Amino acid sequence: AQTVTQSQPEMSVQEAETVTLSCTYDTSENNYYLFWYKQPPSRQMILVIRQEAYKQQNATENRFSVNFQKAAKSFSLKISDSQLGDTAMYFCALFAGANNLFFGTGTRLTVIP
Amino acid sequence: SAVISQKPSRDICQRGTSLTIQCQVDSQVTMMFWYRQQPGQSLTLIATANQGSEATYESGFVIDKFPISRPNLTFSTLTVSNMSPEDSSIYLCSVEEMTSYSYEQYFGPGTRLTVT
């Protein structure tokens, strides 16, 4: 069975500061993918970043980077130089070959001006 | 990445009625997915729609309540039947892009359904 846990229901960060969102997961599969999705108030689910389990190097997309700790089954998202437009719900998700994305419960991030 | 559109973007419906949500993709895709997001909650997969075969439903979801059509490789519909206020949710369709070394899933803009 696959599980995804986000233990921070809400977080806030000052504009231009850095924030880290936590995610842990569990799967028995060896080949899997991890994702962070952003859902702003417009409700559009936007793929922020992807990490393949077979890659040791942490993924980076501009101001967004992940800390992928495979042994610990941890997959945190770091947002640098936070901007007001980063205010959104952030969902961690796991794809482990079952044609189904498993989502965490989300973290509501507020960027404070 | 695929561009996905949904119609309607939102609707307010009376209990006991049905609503059909359309999902259109700008490229041919094998699998399409329908998710439900109840207020303040995460996403839950309703079913997977494969062109040319019946949809595969997740536990807790049945075809009589959520019939799905997949007439071709770029289009799908989800019907929410005999609606009750508990069906008030955002409904999202998504598609996957998969290669031998990568996987991504993209979402449509969602349909916000309110049942009164």
Side-chain angles (χ1 to χ4, degrees), chain A residues 37 39 43-44 50 54 104, chain B residues 9 37 42 101 104-105 107:
Chain A
Y37 282 89
Q39 188 178 40
R43 75 178 177 267
Q44 173 82 56
R50 178 192 76 216
Y54 63 83
Chain B
S9 61
Q37 186 178 24
S42 186
Y101 56 88
E104 292 181 354
Q105 203 169 109
F107 288 81

Side-chain angles (χ1 to χ4, degrees), chain B residues 31-108:
Chain B
M31 307 283 275
M32 295 181 75
F33 306 89
W34 286 99
Y35 287 84
R36 181 176 73 181
Q37 186 178 24
Q38 294 177 301
Q41 304 294 314
S42 186
L43 280 72
T44 301
L45 182 67
I46 297 171
T48 302
N50 202 351
Q51 195 267 337
S53 62
E54 281 198 8
T56 303
Y57 289 82
E58 297 298 306
S59 176
F61 298 97
V62 296
I63 188 171
D64 290 345
K65 176 67 176 176
F66 297 101
I68 289 172
S69 77
R70 183 80 201 276
N72 58 52
L73 291 173
T74 63
F75 187 77
S76 178
T77 67
L78 168 76
T79 299
V80 186
S81 303
N82 188 24
M83 288 183 285
S84 67
E86 292 71 35
D87 295 319
S88 297
S89 296
I90 297 171
Y91 293 86
L92 301 107
C93 70
S94 75
V95 302
E96 64 180 11
E97 291 186 359
M98 182 164 56
T99 69
S100 58
Y101 56 88
S102 72
Y103 181 90
E104 292 181 354
Q105 203 169 109
Y106 298 98
F107 288 81

